[in-house]
Amino acid sequence: MSSAQQGPGEPEVALSDEEWRARLSPQEYAVLRQAGTERPFTGEYTDTTTEGVYSCRACGAELFRSTEKFESHCGWPSFFDPADTDAVILREDDSLGMRRVEVLCRKCHSHLGHVFEGEGYPTPTDQRYCINSLSLRLEPVES
């Protein structure tokens, strides 16, 4: 993986569990703060082609841009690269009996999804950031 795979350190946005629960819906809290996953093909941004910036739904940090979004047909929004290399933290995830790489928002350490590589998608990075729609908020570009 990339150099973004260093330890997370302290989050810039650090709220108590109660504050996160007040800020987020129960579904958002389950994904962002408890590393849950929304069901495939149900997310708001799975098939959207709207141009814009995808930010963290928990803290508002810019994470991805529509120019790096691609159709992977996996059931979740897919991106081949974050908007900024420092926007996310990558961390080994051995849960569910498999080895994966978890993607966290660097600013608030919220769970976004997982990143996979070597799957053969025709993208510049050969990576697929598989991100939960509930972790994102799309800010469309004004035309």
Side-chain angles (χ1 to χ4, degrees):
M1 283 295 140
S2 75
S3 61
Q5 194 156 347
Q6 59 263 16
E10 291 299 315
E12 185 180 323
V13 176
L15 302 178
S16 70
D17 194 52
E18 290 173 354
E19 290 170 315
W20 283 121
R21 285 182 186 276
R23 180 182 278 204
L24 303 168
S25 73
Q27 297 85 4
E28 292 166 349
Y29 182 85
V31 170
L32 288 156
R33 304 309 304 169
Q34 298 179 311
T37 302
E38 63 193 352
R39 290 188 347 264
F41 302 103
T42 62
E44 176 181 7
Y45 303 124
T46 302
D47 296 319
T48 188
T49 56
T50 303
E51 290 185 29
V53 173
Y54 290 88
S55 300
C56 177
R57 194 172 292 234
C59 73
E62 181 178 327
L63 299 171
F64 300 96
R65 295 190 180 119
S66 59
T67 51
E68 283 73 44
K69 188 174 189 286
F70 70 100
E71 290 295 326
S72 67
H73 308 286
C74 72
W76 293 273
S78 296
F79 303 86
F80 61 81
D81 206 19
D84 177 352
T85 326
D86 292 333
V88 300
I89 297 167
L90 304 179
R91 158 171 94 184
E92 291 293 325
D93 176 5
D94 294 325
S95 66
L96 303 178
M98 63 183 103
R99 180 158 296 232
R100 300 179 294 172
V101 177
E102 182 182 17
V103 182
L104 304 170
C105 171
R106 180 168 298 280
K107 189 171 179 181
C108 69
H109 293 192
S110 288
H111 173 79
L112 305 173
H114 290 85
V115 62
F116 304 93
E117 63 183 355
E119 296 178 315
Y121 289 104
T123 63
T125 63
D126 197 25
Q127 293 180 324
R128 176 175 59 92
Y129 285 80
C130 184
I131 307 298
N132 291 285
S133 287
L134 283 171
S135 298
L136 302 171
R137 180 163 284 118
L138 175 60
E139 300 163 18
V141 173
E142 294 183 23
S143 336

